[in-house]
Amino acid sequence: MSSKLAQPTAAGRTPRPRVDARLPERLALSAATTKGGTEDFARWLAGRGEANTFRVDRIPFAELDGWSFEEPTGNLVHRSGRFFTVEGLRVTGGPAPFPEWHQPIIKQPEVGILGILAKEFDGVLHFLMQAKMEPGNRKLLQLSPTVQATRSNYTKVHQGADVKYIEYFIEPGRGRVLADVLQSEHGSWFFHKSNRNMVVEAVGEVPLLDDFCWLTLGQIGELLHQDNVINMDSRTVLSCLPFADPHQRALHSDTELLSWFTAERSRHEVRAERVPLAGLPGWKRGESVIEHEEGRFFQVVAVSVQAGNREVTRWTQPLFEPVGLGVTAFLTREFDGVPHVLVHARVEGGFLDTVELGPTVQYTPGNFGHLPAAERPLFLDQVLAADASRIRYEAVHSEEGGRFLNAESRYLLVEAEEDLQVPPGYAWVTPGQLTTLVQHGHYLNVQGRTLLACLNALEVQAR
Amino acid sequence: MSSKLAQPTAAGRTPRPRVDARLPERLALSAATTKGGTEDFARWLAGRGEANTFRVDRIPFAELDGWSFEEPTGNLVHRSGRFFTVEGLRVTGGPAPFPEWHQPIIKQPEVGILGILAKEFDGVLHFLMQAKMEPGNRKLLQLSPTVQATRSNYTKVHQGADVKYIEYFIEPGRGRVLADVLQSEHGSWFFHKSNRNMVVEAVGEVPLLDDFCWLTLGQIGELLHQDNVINMDSRTVLSCLPFADPHQRALHSDTELLSWFTAERSRHEVRAERVPLAGLPGWKRGESVIEHEEGRFFQVVAVSVQAGNREVTRWTQPLFEPVGLGVTAFLTREFDGVPHVLVHARVEGGFLDTVELGPTVQYTPGNFGHLPAAERPLFLDQVLAADASRIRYEAVHSEEGGRFLNAESRYLLVEAEEDLQVPPGYAWVTPGQLTTLVQHGHYLNVQGRTLLACLNALEVQAR
């Protein structure tokens, strides 16, 4: 967990099993435990909302405090040189219908920690969730991981309050790591950004602070069925939990799947290079917004935030605001009783390495309204037109509200039509295979990880 | 293997086990089969050397055909815009004693295929190796994988001969994939370079062409004990074979190991940016060589090559030439009967993602001769001074002879001293854990993969 490993001492030189065989059943028990529901939680969350007042206002760029457009690049930067910058990106070698494009992108090279603390109560693993305000979320207060901190946060560049519970994730001996992996963030909006996704089981007593609550995986699973309760950072961390694969079978063996992925990564020759934000082709900058000339994709805007329980009590910052509600869906199908989902090897300009696996459908439909049917993204219309009887899961979730404004998407699991032909770039995989892959970074994108967390929550319901 | 997966048809919709449980024992059987040694092979290789004449001469840059220093960057480029370029790199945020440096680097964004074809004869897996000349190797003719081809090679930019056996690696239905993973190449000399490491078991009869021979893993393991016989591309592919872990125990669990690796990757804030080769601080360009002002590290040179069995029969090209023999070693130790090696989380300027695991020691000693003892790399002197009784393995191997000239290193496995204290950035891991990690890219660097191939060869000898 920290970069220190226990030293092999005279007393500690005995190798142990490489894999913790008991963890999957402990996770399953937590997932099966709903403790009679989440009504108490709903009251608690409402109370936290009343105890903490927030106000978010759009402001012109000129009113940003400490942020300015740097000459001659026109990049939007903070005077400290930290936090993040908004720059331009030029992408070539992408797939149709957008083989080449320019866009603004967020560059934030430091690696943050998204960490959930776990602890057993009455023999059942509970997870410490935080009611946290993020300025970009339409529903401001959502459940975040125990710790959701950029390196600037916990090394005090903000000059704000300490990050609560951070010691469990950076000090040796405070806990036992259940998962710890660098995962990519949104490749369409971030350049090469990844965060450390951690779950740590605490050693010893854990004090319970205001704005925090212990929930079982079963309770979190129920909340995942509600709109805008479990925030993105929680969803990606939850997706990394090493649940057991009850089937151990799949249409394609793990080796075939990795081989297909390797081929997908090899066949794309995507180039993404940072360019100045000033004069970015196809984009225009106004007093309060940087937007696409045809009003598509997203805007860069600025907000002022006043909050009571955040690390600092007032600040201003830029945010990215997509132009519409997204649709993010896996098509699903059972083969001989084994559930599969159809993954898409996606190119996103900000990925560190060419492609990652994503949902079958991950689009903002409005961006494609002008295209003839033949050029519209594969499977988008099938998902939009899906009969209610085919929808196994549906909820609206927000993306990271610290960088994105009103970035919401309908997340869906939709049963595929029987005659579906798998096109190049797509493959049927099992949730168990995805769970194996997300123990490593850069395989499954952040939207895919949200859906994996939902799949695992559904799986438990079904038992 | 190609980017096409078998479609789920009415006949083929039945999921199969995710893991091929029989493969590890088939690999073990091949590794245990030495067929009485490699004397026949030695005669065969000598014969191939007589049948193929090669000549490599150093030339001034001005005599390079199709290559020139592009203005104003001074980068060394080919007129086709393909193959590779030699550019400058500036690295900051590196560890002591070199926190910041400039260097020439090879940029070759396309992904090549390093592929070994496998086939069972008399119930034992054999691997099709090629006697291949590479201009940079002191011993020109070595054993390469069946296919060792850049994308330019097999898409005919060279306008040379077809790449033999390539169809098994790019056409569906020609074989069954045993391993297929994108692995990094030398991060000190290449910028973000990776190649596809593949092992494919052929379906049907395979014609045996001149310059190719079938060997068991046991025979290849014997040859790995000889100097300069198994080339780098073969070694890295061999390291990806999914051998069984006979122990299944380790000092640190797999999760602890991944967590430590994640922490190592997160704590380094290395920045590597491409800069013009012209005027690169600390480097000077002459008629025939680009070299470091103090004569350290490596040189960029040019050669003319005449060959009989290469895709084209005469060509010129640049090569990187290190200034001395390298020393590359794992310190090893058994804990309760379980062998471990001491890995080092290394920063190399050309890595795609900050750090990869490498050998305990991976240095060209001459680069550090000017430093006081306290600043010399950890464990280097311990390896150089190791008593012969502690050396479990030693052989000189070459790096990729298509890009590097006389790039040789003593590869060693050396028993650690009993009182070894593990410093930050180092960890004890088992060969079994490394074998699990190399099923994925960017964990173990190319020198570490050579030593893993050697470890697996030793393991078999020991039985």
Side-chain angles (χ1 to χ4, degrees), chain A residues 187-219:
Chain A
S188 296
W189 299 329
F190 276 117
F191 185 72
H192 293 186
K193 174 85 177 106
S194 58
N195 275 326
R196 208 168 155 186
N197 286 232
M198 301 179 75
V199 183
V200 171
E201 185 175 359
V203 168
E205 287 299 302
V206 178
L208 183 61
L209 305 176
D210 284 350
D211 296 327
F212 290 84
C213 68
W214 291 105
L215 294 173
T216 65
L217 290 177
Q219 292 176 302

Side-chain angles (χ1 to χ4, degrees), chain A residues 103 157 194 247 332 347 364 371 419 434 447-448 457:
Chain A
Q103 65 165 91
V157 176
S194 58
H247 303 286
T332 71
V347 171
T364 303
L371 292 174
D419 60 352
L434 293 180
Q447 293 86 351

Side-chain angles (χ1 to χ4, degrees), chain B residues 45-295:
Chain B
L45 187 63
R48 294 330 302 158
E50 286 162 18
N52 297 281
T53 55
F54 311 112
R55 184 183 164 139
V56 180
D57 296 295
R58 290 175 192 245
I59 55 173
F61 294 123
E63 288 180 22
L64 281 169
D65 179 21
W67 293 85
S68 62
F69 293 100
E70 182 181 59
E71 289 309 320
T73 60
N75 293 341
L76 186 51
V77 304
H78 191 263
R79 67 176 164 228
S80 69
R82 310 254 349 208
F83 306 120
F84 61 94
T85 58
V86 181
E87 311 187 358
L89 190 75
R90 186 171 87 100
V91 183
T92 56
F98 299 117
E100 180 173 351
W101 73 89
H102 292 81
Q103 65 164 91
I105 199 142
I106 300 171
K107 181 159 172 282
Q108 183 178 7
E110 59 176 18
V111 171
I113 290 180
L114 312 178
I116 299 182
L117 199 61
K119 190 163 174 54
E120 225 174 62
F121 297 100
D122 300 327
V124 179
L125 276 174
H126 286 61
F127 296 82
L128 188 59
M129 308 301 289
Q130 178 183 11
K132 187 177 181 78
M133 193 285 293
E134 294 180 311
N137 289 344
R138 210 182 300 266
K139 189 173 158 195
L140 289 169
L141 199 70
Q142 301 190 15
L143 276 194
S144 84
T146 318
V147 163
Q148 177 178 323
T150 64
R151 188 181 285 258
S152 300
N153 278 145
Y154 63 83
T155 56
K156 312 291 174 56
V157 177
H158 279 293
Q159 300 177 323
D162 285 355
V163 175
K164 299 185 176 73
Y165 299 107
I166 186 69
E167 64 274 17
Y168 289 94
F169 300 90
I170 59 175
E171 291 175 7
R174 300 299 295 260
R176 197 173 71 90
V177 176
L178 308 185
D180 186 358
V181 54
L182 276 178
Q183 298 284 10
S184 63
E185 302 256 316
H186 304 72
S188 295
W189 299 330
F190 276 116
F191 186 72
H192 293 186
K193 173 86 178 106
S194 58
N195 275 325
R196 208 168 156 185
N197 286 231
M198 302 179 74
V199 182
V200 172
E201 185 175 359
V203 169
E205 288 298 302
V206 178
L208 183 62
L209 304 177
D210 285 350
D211 295 326
F212 290 83
C213 67
W214 291 105
L215 295 173
T216 65
L217 290 177
Q219 292 177 303
I220 295 170
E222 289 191 356
L223 295 170
L224 271 172
H225 284 74
Q226 299 178 19
D227 290 351
N228 282 322
V229 174
I230 307 293
N231 84 353
M232 185 216 82
D233 305 78
S234 299
R235 300 191 307 267
T236 174
V237 176
L238 291 167
S239 77
C240 299
L241 284 171
F243 284 98
D245 179 355
H247 302 287
Q248 295 292 340
R249 292 184 304 144
L251 213 51
H252 309 293
S253 73
D254 287 7
T255 299
E256 283 175 340
L257 175 60
L258 285 175
S259 180
W260 170 77
F261 181 80
T262 301
E264 283 296 314
R265 201 162 250 179
S266 302
R267 82 181 169 97
H268 289 283
E269 297 201 40
V270 186
R271 305 266 182 283
E273 52 177 335
R274 286 153 52 211
V275 296
L277 185 59
L280 196 65
W283 295 79
K284 57 184 181 183
R285 184 177 118 195
E287 295 293 305
S288 310
V289 65
I290 299 170
E291 61 189 331
H292 186 254
E293 284 172 354
E294 287 160 357

Side-chain angles (χ1 to χ4, degrees), chain A residues 1 3 6-7 15-16 18 151 180 245 248-251 254 256 259-260 262 266 335 422 436 440 443, chain B residues 1 3 7 15-16 18 151 180 245 248-252 254 256 259-260 262 266 335 422 436 440 443:
Chain A
M1 65 203 240
S3 64
Q7 286 278 335
R16 294 165 298 151
R18 288 175 51 188
R151 189 180 285 257
D180 186 358
D245 180 354
Q248 295 291 342
R249 293 184 304 144
L251 213 52
D254 287 7
E256 283 174 341
S259 180
W260 170 78
T262 301
S266 303
F335 295 95
V422 180
T436 301
H440 310 279
Y443 277 115
Chain B
M1 65 201 235
S3 63
Q7 286 279 334
R16 295 164 299 150
R18 286 175 53 187
R151 188 181 285 258
D180 186 358
D245 179 355
Q248 295 292 340
R249 292 184 304 144
L251 213 51
H252 309 293
D254 287 7
E256 283 175 340
S259 180
W260 170 77
T262 301
S266 302
F335 294 96
V422 179
T436 301
H440 310 280
Y443 278 115

Side-chain angles (χ1 to χ4, degrees), chain A residues 89-157:
Chain A
L89 190 75
R90 187 171 85 99
V91 184
T92 55
F98 299 117
E100 180 173 350
W101 72 90
H102 293 79
Q103 65 165 91
I105 198 141
I106 300 171
K107 180 158 172 283
Q108 182 179 8
E110 60 176 17
V111 171
I113 290 181
L114 312 178
I116 299 183
L117 199 61
K119 188 161 176 55
E120 224 174 65
F121 297 101
D122 299 328
V124 179
L125 276 174
H126 286 61
F127 297 82
L128 189 59
M129 308 300 288
Q130 178 183 10
K132 189 180 180 75
M133 192 285 293
E134 294 181 312
N137 289 345
R138 210 182 301 266
K139 188 171 158 199
L140 288 170
L141 198 70
Q142 301 191 15
L143 276 194
S144 84
T146 319
V147 163
Q148 176 178 323
T150 64
R151 189 180 285 257
S152 300
N153 279 143
Y154 64 83
T155 57
K156 312 289 175 55
V157 176

Side-chain angles (χ1 to χ4, degrees), chain B residues 276-396:
Chain B
L277 185 59
L280 196 65
W283 295 79
K284 57 184 181 183
R285 184 177 118 195
E287 295 293 305
S288 310
V289 65
I290 299 170
E291 61 189 331
H292 186 254
E293 284 172 354
E294 287 160 357
R296 277 195 267 277
F297 308 118
F298 60 85
Q299 304 180 336
V300 184
V301 301
V303 296
S304 154
V305 188
Q306 284 199 265
N309 72 341
R310 187 82 188 214
E311 288 83 0
V312 288
T313 49
R314 183 188 177 279
W315 74 93
T316 63
Q317 69 168 91
L319 290 171
F320 273 36
E321 181 178 28
V323 297
L325 180 69
V327 175
T328 308
F330 270 136
L331 289 177
T332 70
R333 182 186 286 179
E334 289 201 357
F335 294 96
D336 194 24
V338 180
H340 285 67
V341 299
L342 191 65
V343 293
H344 177 203
R346 279 177 63 89
V347 171
E348 298 182 12
F351 281 155
L352 181 64
D353 199 359
T354 326
V355 303
E356 296 190 11
L357 301 180
T360 323
V361 161
Q362 177 191 318
Y363 303 105
T364 303
N367 290 336
F368 303 91
H370 63 299
L371 292 175
E375 290 181 26
R376 284 167 60 81
L378 288 173
F379 303 117
L380 174 57
D381 294 330
Q382 183 173 329
V383 165
L384 290 175
D387 187 85
S389 65
R390 289 187 174 275
I391 297 177
R392 294 178 55 212
Y393 172 88
E394 179 173 12
V396 173

